[in-house]
Amino acid sequence: MSHPSVDPHETLPIVPTTSGADVPASDRRHADVEMARVLGTAPFRMALDASGAGIAHWKHEPLHDVVEPMSHHVIMAYNGVPQHMERRTGRSVANGTFRPGVLIIIPEGSSSRWDIPKPVDVVQLYLPHATLKRVADEAAAGTSTDLLERTAHPDPITSRLLLSAASVLEGNRTLDALFRHQLTDLLATRLLAAHTSSPTTLRPTIGGLSPKVLLRAIERLRSDSEADVSLDALASDAGLSRFHFCRAFKESTGLSPLAWLRQHRLEQSMNLLRDTDASVVSVAMELGYASQTAFAAAFRRLTGETPSDWRRRVR
């Protein structure tokens, strides 16, 4: 018995003819909430601020659905086998090929229907417009903050930065927050330079920190208080914006605040492993890691050895 043929697109929900801008901002879902709804799964890994800004790594099945307006810009980097996909916004249809090295941008408040026929491995940045505006004000002059909608748009540098984010998260609340804030500001500058309606020119580097300000910043980074070592606190104490503080700190030390703090925590862990009989799990807790496994993975990334192997070798 034969069956009538069915266009698979006819079974999909219809995208509103508006871009989503008519949906009040207060009614838009946080990006992580909307993504969980439309993807029908939990993220493989996620690190968010209270505002919903942050990074998420998703592995999900084929998608045939509408993504409703969200309260964040969503920037995605694809990691997987190349595959064709389609994105429909009202009467506009965009086709592209998902592959490593391309970028997908869903501007805040927009709505579109997606047809992705194969499983997807993707890392997403959830970027509040207020953050994009702040970075624009700090980093450049006369900058548009109107992000362009991108569908599988070639941008290998931004794609690699975003893909690396999921594997660098360490399970250490302080380090992960500092990493997330630095990466968000860096990615925001790249988006402003390459993915807005007008080109952006960054202001020149302002030079390093004065010795007194640098010493105060290092004292903060050595603190055990999460509040003390936040990027906002470090920048405020130096009397600079977050963007300019990071550039000035690196000019003075050769390291970003995150790289400096990672090195400091590594040295602390080595001292504890070498000079005390504290267990590896105790060292992990002392340094603020969520688990011994998270600490061991971070230690191995930096040294090539597990904490236990390193301890046996140096004692």
Side-chain angles (χ1 to χ4, degrees):
M1 179 178 176
S2 63
H3 297 277
S5 61
V6 178
D7 180 351
H9 292 121
E10 291 180 0
T11 67
L12 301 179
I14 302 301
V15 176
T17 55
T18 66
S19 66
D22 294 335
V23 177
S26 60
D27 292 342
R28 298 172 188 170
R29 296 186 183 97
H30 278 196
D32 62 304
V33 175
E34 174 60 10
M35 284 297 162
R37 181 198 68 80
V38 77
L39 300 180
T41 188
F44 184 68
R45 186 180 288 113
M46 181 181 285
L48 300 179
D49 292 336
S51 68
I55 298 162
H57 183 188
W58 298 86
K59 295 182 180 182
H60 63 84
E61 295 303 309
L63 175 63
H64 304 283
D65 206 346
V66 173
V67 176
E68 300 291 348
M70 294 175 283
S71 59
H72 304 77
H73 302 296
V74 177
I75 297 86
M76 292 185 269
Y78 180 75
N79 186 36
V81 297
Q83 63 168 308
H84 179 78
M85 52 76 62
E86 185 177 274
R87 174 183 189 170
R88 295 187 174 196
T89 305
R91 297 184 181 276
S92 174
V93 179
N95 294 287
T97 300
F98 269 178
R99 64 182 185 276
V102 302
L103 209 64
I104 301 93
I105 299 177
I106 306 175
E108 173 193 44
S110 70
S111 180
S112 51
R113 186 175 72 195
W114 294 80
D115 179 18
I116 308 174
K118 299 177 183 177
V120 173
D121 183 339
V122 67
V123 178
Q124 301 178 340
L125 171 73
Y126 304 147
L127 179 66
H129 189 75
T131 300
L132 189 68
K133 178 67 167 62
R134 173 183 57 76
V135 173
D137 291 342
E138 294 172 357
T143 301
S144 168
T145 57
D146 295 327
L147 282 187
L148 299 173
E149 186 176 88
R150 298 294 201 191
T151 304
H153 183 86
D155 185 346
I157 295 175
T158 307
S159 176
R160 280 198 301 270
L161 278 171
L162 190 47
L163 288 176
S164 70
S167 60
V168 172
L169 294 171
E170 296 188 12
N172 182 294
R173 205 166 154 183
T174 302
L175 286 169
D176 285 351
L178 194 55
F179 164 72
R180 202 163 60 249
H181 294 160
Q182 279 189 203
L183 181 71
T184 297
D185 284 9
L186 175 61
L187 287 171
T189 62
R190 286 203 54 80
L191 293 169
L192 290 165
H195 300 286
T196 60
S197 55
S198 64
T200 295
T201 301
L202 298 182
R203 296 189 182 113
T205 303
I206 60 172
L209 300 171
S210 70
K212 183 177 179 180
V213 172
L214 177 60
L215 179 60
R216 197 159 58 236
I218 287 174
E219 287 174 349
R220 271 194 176 275
L221 285 168
R222 285 176 172 157
S223 170
D224 293 329
S225 166
E226 290 179 16
D228 281 350
V229 298
S230 73
L231 192 52
D232 286 328
L234 287 160
S236 176
D237 204 31
L240 297 171
S241 69
R242 279 174 32 168
F243 178 83
H244 286 303
F245 172 78
C246 286
R247 298 179 86 185
F249 186 91
K250 188 168 185 178
E251 184 76 11
S252 295
T253 65
L255 298 171
S256 69
L258 173 66
W260 192 98
L261 184 56
R262 275 200 186 122
Q263 184 64 35
H264 175 62
R265 292 290 173 91
L266 176 64
E267 291 170 0
Q268 284 182 302
S269 68
M270 287 177 166
N271 289 338
L272 289 168
L273 291 167
R274 184 186 58 241
D275 300 335
T276 77
D277 293 324
S279 66
V280 174
V281 68
S282 296
V283 173
M285 292 177 63
E286 175 76 16
L287 297 180
Y289 284 88
S291 67
Q292 178 180 340
T293 302
F295 167 62
F299 190 94
R300 187 165 191 164
R301 272 197 299 270
L302 292 171
T303 66
E305 297 178 276
T306 66
S308 298
D309 288 344
W310 185 89
R311 171 180 259 171
R312 280 192 293 269
R313 185 173 60 80
V314 300
R315 278 189 156 188

